[in-house]
Amino acid sequence: MACETAVVATATGGIPEVVDDGRTGLLVPFESTGEASPRNPEQFIRDLAERVNTLVADPARADAMGKAGRQRALDEFSWTAIAEQTVELYRDALGANA
């Protein structure tokens, strides 16, 4: 996202917290077998290909998602943003914002 490129990623782990599905990229459903493998590999491959093809077929949408992703990366995941979030967390923990 920081490279101003639309993202296609699995909807697993912390990824959905970073990629805003439909705005900064497209998420692919991922139901695991418990061993980091998709429960239905054929469906996963179809879903992944469909999302990649969606963006390839619509460069304007991919460009808009890339720009939105870059802005999200700057606003929420830059060193400054993370530092501010950390300070806020400590203030909350200390009751400074109460």
Side-chain angles (χ1 to χ4, degrees):
M1 289 182 358
C3 294
E4 205 168 294
T5 302
V7 174
V8 175
T10 57
T12 186
I15 295 170
E17 295 176 31
V18 177
V19 177
D20 186 354
D21 191 30
R23 191 170 83 77
T24 64
L26 299 175
L27 293 176
V28 180
F30 186 84
E31 185 179 344
S32 174
T33 62
E35 297 182 16
S37 297
R39 186 169 305 282
N40 183 340
E42 293 81 16
Q43 184 63 50
F44 176 72
I45 291 166
R46 282 191 298 273
D47 291 344
L48 180 64
E50 181 270 326
R51 282 154 180 82
V52 169
N53 289 333
T54 294
L55 292 180
V56 169
D58 192 346
R61 183 178 183 197
D63 185 58
M65 285 183 172
K67 286 180 178 12
R70 171 72 178 164
Q71 194 59 55
R72 181 172 169 87
L74 292 172
D75 292 345
E76 297 185 33
F77 305 110
S78 68
W79 285 112
T80 301
I82 296 298
E84 290 170 357
Q85 292 170 29
T86 302
V87 168
E88 187 67 26
L89 177 72
Y90 284 125
R91 284 188 179 138
D92 286 348
L94 295 170
N97 289 333

